[in-house]
Amino acid sequence: MAGAGAALTGLGLGLAGKPAAASGSVENTEAAEAGEPREAAEGAEAVEAVEADGAAFRGMWIATVTNRDFPSRPGLGAAEQRAELVALLDLAVRRRMTAVLFQVRPSADALWPSPYEPWAQCLTGVQGADPGWDPLGTAVTEAHARGLELHAWCNPYRVANHTDPARLAENHPVRLHPEWALAYDGRLLYNPGLPEVRRHVQDAMLDAVSRYDVDALHWDDYFYPYPVAGQRLDDDEAFARHGAGFADRAAWRRNNIDLLVSETAERIRQTRPGVAFGISPFGVWRHATTDPAGSDTALAVQTYDDLYADTRRWITERWIDYVMPQLYWHIGFPSADYAKLVPWWERTARGTGVRLYLGEALYKVGDPAQPAAWQDPGELARHVELARRYPGVGGHCYFAAREVAKDPLGALTAVLADD
């Protein structure tokens, strides 16, 4: 891809834009097959194999929903917003990142002039109002000029953090098609069970892929909503219309998400083959107590059962080019131990050609509400050290830009000093 050649090493992409094969592949103290680290010598060889496949990936999320990281507040002038974005890219360079994951479709609105959805509210404070510049276009150009990959981060289904369609822009798809939306937990989301919705969200995201020289289309962890006790997602009508032939509603819902993933993968290949497709799911697929193929975890949420997201299948079917599980727990956390989840994900991705990067909770470091492990500036450095013992781990990504700038407790500095 023009302008991004130097950045492609982080993804391990070849000239044709295909994922590079993993070593030996054919896509919150036992042997390697049991998911434990190899012996030290073999681990060193694994690190060399990963590095030979390209520079280790080091990413930074830039969140725009509710103005978390960018812009600092809505309503800034175009020049001020542009300066803030460029400053974040310069920050990424100083912190030796190889990629930025820029949230360009935070809530069914866009940080580029999209024909499918209105301008994002985070820019001007008014959804649909033209900010006077093109944040995505600027991000692509400026990131590539700095040797950074630019991953266009989209949230497939979120519409709003409220339930009032009248507060959306007049030309918003949900204003035009109110039957497309569901209300749950005080929020609006697109109904994943409607084929017309699936097509629309694909069209909206692929517009960015077709018009801009992005290195990847990236999704976060929101598919069906996280469950809330005492609340029920009312998709009865969609299930009645489209659920025939499925054993139950859960199987139908999973198929809806599988179709979104598999169809998007195929459409990316048709639209621009050199663009990678990556997803950053919640860090637990299923528990071993639920499924023998699951991880040694005990958290309440399992993506397969609760978000209807079969993240393991997306890897084994090679629908995605990289997976970036959000392993936002510390080493030794009883319900979801980072040291147990890393080998599970590495084993799952092994031999598939799907690249594995690990999402890191930089935002937890130094937070007094977090367990004692997160008050230790060396916790994240230990994550990186542990991950080096697994050949399939290609790098890490840090949430998020605000914390990369603040470097709480010097934790990121400790990571970089040890790299």
Side-chain angles (χ1 to χ4, degrees):
M1 292 175 286
L8 290 176
T9 56
L11 270 176
L13 296 178
L15 293 177
K18 303 299 184 183
S23 177
S25 70
V26 273
E27 179 197 64
N28 258 357
T29 60
E30 294 289 332
E33 288 303 318
E36 294 301 326
R38 280 109 172 117
E39 295 299 326
E42 191 175 355
E45 292 173 1
V47 172
E48 292 174 2
V50 170
E51 291 176 346
D53 203 28
F57 181 97
R58 186 182 294 117
M60 176 182 83
W61 277 288
I62 301 176
T64 60
V65 65
T66 67
N67 296 90
R68 188 200 189 276
D69 297 319
F70 171 83
S72 58
R73 60 182 174 84
L76 295 175
E80 292 174 286
Q81 289 186 4
R82 186 184 186 283
E84 285 192 352
L85 179 57
V86 168
L88 288 172
L89 298 176
D90 287 339
L91 169 69
V93 173
R94 290 198 304 274
R95 292 298 188 180
R96 292 164 45 201
M97 301 293 160
T98 65
V100 290
L101 289 70
F102 183 36
Q103 192 175 36
V104 297
R105 187 176 173 270
S107 300
D109 51 14
L111 274 78
W112 76 94
S114 168
Y116 296 98
E117 290 171 328
W119 279 106
Q121 183 175 355
C122 65
L123 296 171
T124 63
V126 178
Q127 190 176 62
D130 189 336
W133 70 302
D134 181 353
L136 176 54
T138 299
V140 169
T141 299
E142 296 295 335
H144 289 171
R146 289 161 174 76
L148 295 166
E149 296 170 6
L150 194 288
H151 297 220
W153 168 18
C154 297
N155 183 292
Y157 291 124
R158 181 169 54 216
V159 171
N161 289 324
H162 57 76
T163 60
D164 183 4
R167 292 170 58 185
L168 302 173
E170 290 186 1
N171 65 337
H172 195 286
V174 170
R175 293 286 294 272
L176 304 175
H177 302 280
E179 72 280 5
W180 284 8
L182 296 172
Y184 185 80
D185 189 30
R187 297 173 173 87
L188 285 174
L189 67 148
Y190 282 126
N191 187 343
L194 299 178
E196 56 270 34
V197 164
R198 187 168 71 247
R199 182 72 186 193
H200 166 77
V201 298
Q202 289 174 358
D203 289 344
M205 294 183 288
L206 287 164
D207 183 63
V209 173
S210 66
R211 294 171 57 192
Y212 296 90
D213 189 20
V214 299
D215 296 287
L217 176 65
H218 177 84
W219 293 354
D220 51 25
D221 57 320
Y222 294 96
F223 297 99
Y224 277 88
Y226 281 83
V228 176
Q231 299 197 30
R232 177 180 177 275
L233 184 68
D234 184 7
D235 57 357
D236 292 355
E237 185 176 345
F239 182 53
R241 288 169 53 194
H242 304 289
F246 291 92
D248 52 31
R249 192 177 307 221
W252 170 71
R253 286 177 174 176
R254 270 189 296 275
N255 185 67
N256 293 330
I257 305 302
D258 282 349
L259 287 173
L260 179 74
V261 175
S262 61
E263 290 175 359
T264 299
E266 179 59 30
R267 292 187 66 185
I268 290 173
R269 286 192 290 269
Q270 294 172 353
T271 302
R272 185 169 287 181
V275 174
F277 182 26
I279 298 180
S280 180
F282 181 76
V284 175
W285 171 69
R286 299 190 94 186
H287 307 316
T289 52
T290 304
D291 187 317
S295 53
D296 183 9
T297 46
L299 285 170
V301 174
Q302 303 172 86
T303 60
Y304 180 95
D305 302 274
D306 299 304
L307 307 184
Y308 307 97
D310 191 354
T311 54
R312 182 173 178 266
R313 184 183 184 191
W314 306 344
I315 296 170
T316 60
E317 297 283 352
R318 308 183 187 194
W319 290 338
I320 56 178
D321 297 304
Y322 71 82
V323 64
M324 189 181 289
Q326 296 175 25
L327 302 189
Y328 290 174
W329 305 287
H330 60 269
I331 294 172
F333 182 56
S335 299
D337 187 344
Y338 184 94
K340 294 180 178 179
L341 281 163
V342 171
W344 185 89
W345 283 99
E346 196 265 358
R347 187 170 63 251
T348 299
R350 189 184 306 160
T352 65
V354 175
R355 304 283 291 182
L356 173 62
Y357 310 125
L358 307 179
E360 302 287 353
L362 182 60
Y363 73 96
K364 287 188 175 182
V365 175
D367 181 349
Q370 298 296 331
W374 294 106
Q375 314 312 316
D376 181 348
E379 175 66 23
L380 288 184
R382 285 190 288 274
H383 289 198
V384 174
E385 180 181 5
L386 183 151
R388 286 196 187 108
R389 300 164 68 185
Y390 296 91
V393 177
H396 303 257
C397 193
Y398 297 91
F399 193 87
R402 180 197 305 170
E403 288 74 24
V404 171
K406 292 181 178 178
D407 191 16
L409 303 183
L412 189 56
T413 296
V415 167
L416 297 175
D418 192 43
D419 189 13

